[in-house]
Amino acid sequence: MEFKRRNGGPLKVGATQAKRGKTNDDWEDSPSRFEEELSMFDEAEMETEEIEGQAGHDVIPVGDLFSADLNPRWRRPPAPPLNPSSDKLVFQQIDLDYYLGATVAGMPGQVQGNVPIIRMFGVTDSGNSVCCHVHGFAPYFYVQAPSGFTSDSLGDFKRELNSVVLKDMRSNKDNISVTVLAVDITRKENMYGYHGKRMLDFLRITMAMPRLIAPAKRLLEQGFKFGAFPMQGYQSYEANIDFEIRFMVDSDVVGCCWIELPKSKYRVREEKSMGVSLCQYEVDVGWTDLISHPAEDEWQRIAPLRVLSFDIECAGRKGIFPEADKDPVIQIASMVQRQGEKEPFIRTVFTLQSCASIVGSQILCFTQETQLLQSWAEFLRTVDPDIITGYNIQNFDFPYLLNRAAALKVKLFPYLGRVRVMKSVMRDLNFQSKQMGRRENKIINMEGRVQFDLLQILLRDYKLRSYTLNAVSFHFLQEQKEDVQHSIITDLQNGNEQTRRRLAVYCLKDAYLPLRLLQKLMCVINYMEMARVTGVPLTYLLSRGQQIKVVSQLLRQAMKQDLVMPVVRPEGGEDYTGATVIEPEKGYYSVPIATLDFSSLYPSIMMAHNLCYTTLLQKEDFIKTPTGDMFVKSSVRKGLLPEILENLLSARKRAKTELKKETDPFKRQVLDGRQLALKISANSVYGFTGAQVGKLPCLEISQSVTGFGRQMIEQTKQLVESKYTISNGYQAFFYIRKYSVMVKLGVATVREAMDVGKEAAEWISSHFTPPIKLEFEKVYYPYLLINKKRYAGLYFSGSADTHEKMDCKGIETVRRDNCPLVANLINTCLQRILIDRDPQGAVAHAKEVISDLLCNRIDISQLVITKELTRTAQEYAGKQAHVELAERTQSLCWRTRFPSTHNTTWSSSCPSLLSINMHVIVFLKSSQFSNFMGLAVD
DNA sequence: TTTTCTTCCTAC
DNA sequence: TTAGGTAGGAAGAAAA
């Protein structure tokens, strides 16, 4: 449903674009292309397998739906018997969490009370689901041992800490008697700062439950006295690590890796008596007995995961957004596909009231909405998907279903995870980061299943003008939704079985498109790659920020050297200075301009100069130098961060090499996604050190990085100026941006610019410490430099004969806060100027468009499309309001911004028609244009 | 009317 | 209980 996305809070993006598609009349003529596509699935399947019983559109008793005879595809393949004494169990783990539970006989760990148990969910090669309880791993953290501490003091320390933590508890509803399980002395070194590799005694404090870590840490920090030792505050280490991450780091498990339970090392739970999950295999294992396979060679494969995509329709009242306590759910379409296969093997719609059949899909009709809901939940549990997708399911479909089921008292509905007794409930989550702004989300627990809401993925990974399913599908698939206006959904439902069929086709397509997009964008594979590279669970990638990925890698690298990470108190400091952007010489250049880039500049600086927590010489320990911060060289100690970066970048290099060899377009996309993920990960290491409200900020590192960057830019400039002088036959001009140097070499052709550019890059690189490298990247010819961070040019990189594209940076054409008309207009003008070399043509075009605009000859949809406007307009007048409002007020927005207070009417804050006129003229008239091109604009 | 503050979005 | 960074252009709103 298109309008459902209004429901999701302030970040919600706009509604459908004004689409002038086929009218309702066209629709009845012939089956849509989507229907043909659906029927093809059926034909293809009939050729390969015997015809299966299809439930058709008869009303079937609910219980019978789930019989294997009627719907053989719904269940997973039968699980072969598993004998722990002779069989190993191998599965790909896709989700990991923990719970507090009673100990299981024969498993390691505390025997008394509730203990934390790690739970992994996964799938075997043969497609059987696994739930694996991992026992014996307890949470812990460190403090530095006070001087004079020996093993004799351990007892006192433990007893006293246990006592104060117990006393600190307001209520003890779990009846905990032991909070501190163990205290051990261990040799460790503080990761922060270089101290001559001096190992010290640390106390490793093991607690009974993860939630006891925070109070223990607090009490120790505040001041703690035990035995004969005086009162003292203790700095804690690694007390702020998520328990799941702690486990994964310690057991060398990374997200989505393959797990092997060797024979005779695990126990199988008999399904009926002991099992708590819906999985086909449920096993217990000690945490030291499981084998985690690094994602290499054969262990890079992906199990045949089941991906379910669904969409719901509800019958809202006219002009009112559907409310779960009032408006019924009338259809739920579902498609299920195995990861790696091309087509969904289950295509089904649950409908309220009868519905005519649709070839290629199964229709299940219900007379009672309660039955529909309950059966769909049962369907989901039977299909047992590993991944659930859809469009905005997180903030609309799932919440709506849960609320509706609650309103109708469908008691068995909200058990959607893989743990039988675990009810799925909805929580609100406010998530705020500088990167993504404020975001209000709902979260629904669904143990063992990964929710992969395509809208959330797109919001995270792609900058798009519009995030409606229709726009996104068109953008990536050149395909659109079935044409049904939401305003007629209720009418279709109240019609006959033919009108409900039409609705069902629409609903099916909305379930199908997310699957197609997921496939096209390689989301599952790319996210798995990211989980494997950074070591975090798959779900973290969608629910958490960037920091956790660096923390995970940092801890893994640190553990190898017995380094421990301190807990730092976030304190908002002053911003540090970043890179300088030199004022460019604005203008139009009709000669080739070579661009040389420092590739992965910040990561290379960190590697070249061994910048790390572990190599930082702190000023208290050493002489204070006025010049800045000091780090030891890699010959003394190699930093963790440089190591992490080397791993990431060498993995990226491998991916790029494979990419070059690969011819299959899909695999190319995977590899491209991987190399991009690795690049992003490498770049975020720098950001992590500069994140002042973060797990381990270190401004010495981040400002040294930017400092080196500035210095390098200056050095580069000097180098080029010394060699590429006019007297040497060049006429060097530089526009030095953050990482790149643009050089006007005084050569006439693109080929020469490329050759000289490459040579210059190599020569300059030789003056820097590896792996810092300046690379020739591209030639712009011609080149229009409007301002800092705003330019356009024809882009040559491979061939010197033809340009690859017209590259526009920072100009209206690439900004999403402009309406399409402006983007198109500027784009065409730039084409005239750069490609046709016809500035007068550009002016003529602009005049023409403006005249069209004045005479109302422009399609309204080109004018009013920005995110803010559609949202705001919607809030005022409901669906499609933007079109109606625009028509009513005849306001033509070329750029839209709205006051955060919604008191102002939007029409009054809409810029007048004059704005676009002025804007274009100002743009064309600006000195950089007219001066160089002799433009005359009246 | 001019200047400053705020917001948004992009480049890197 | 959670969050990568800074620089900078452009334009609207608020303040002067």
Side-chain angles (χ1 to χ4, degrees), chain A residues 790-851:
Chain A
R790 283 168 74 84
Y791 59 86
L794 298 189
Y795 180 110
F796 295 79
S797 71
S799 156
D801 305 322
T802 48
H803 67 271
E804 280 166 45
K805 58 182 173 190
M806 187 174 82
D807 207 17
C808 299
K809 291 288 160 73
I811 301 176
E812 280 72 4
T813 53
V814 296
R815 290 182 69 92
R816 297 178 298 167
D817 52 359
N818 286 96
C819 76
L821 180 70
V822 171
N824 292 339
L825 170 54
I826 301 287
N827 193 47
T828 307
C829 287
L830 288 171
Q831 280 177 356
R832 294 271 186 283
I833 293 160
L834 297 170
I835 300 174
D836 306 340
R837 309 279 184 111
D838 176 18
Q840 296 304 336
V843 176
H845 175 77
K847 282 181 177 170
E848 198 179 310
V849 171
I850 290 164
S851 143

Side-chain angles (χ1 to χ4, degrees), chain A residues 247-268:
Chain A
F247 166 77
M248 291 173 83
V249 168
D250 288 21
S251 57
D252 219 5
V253 167
V254 295
C256 299
C257 70
W258 286 82
I259 300 287
E260 177 174 338
L261 309 183
K263 66 178 182 189
S264 77
K265 296 282 191 183
Y266 66 98
R267 295 185 175 198
V268 176

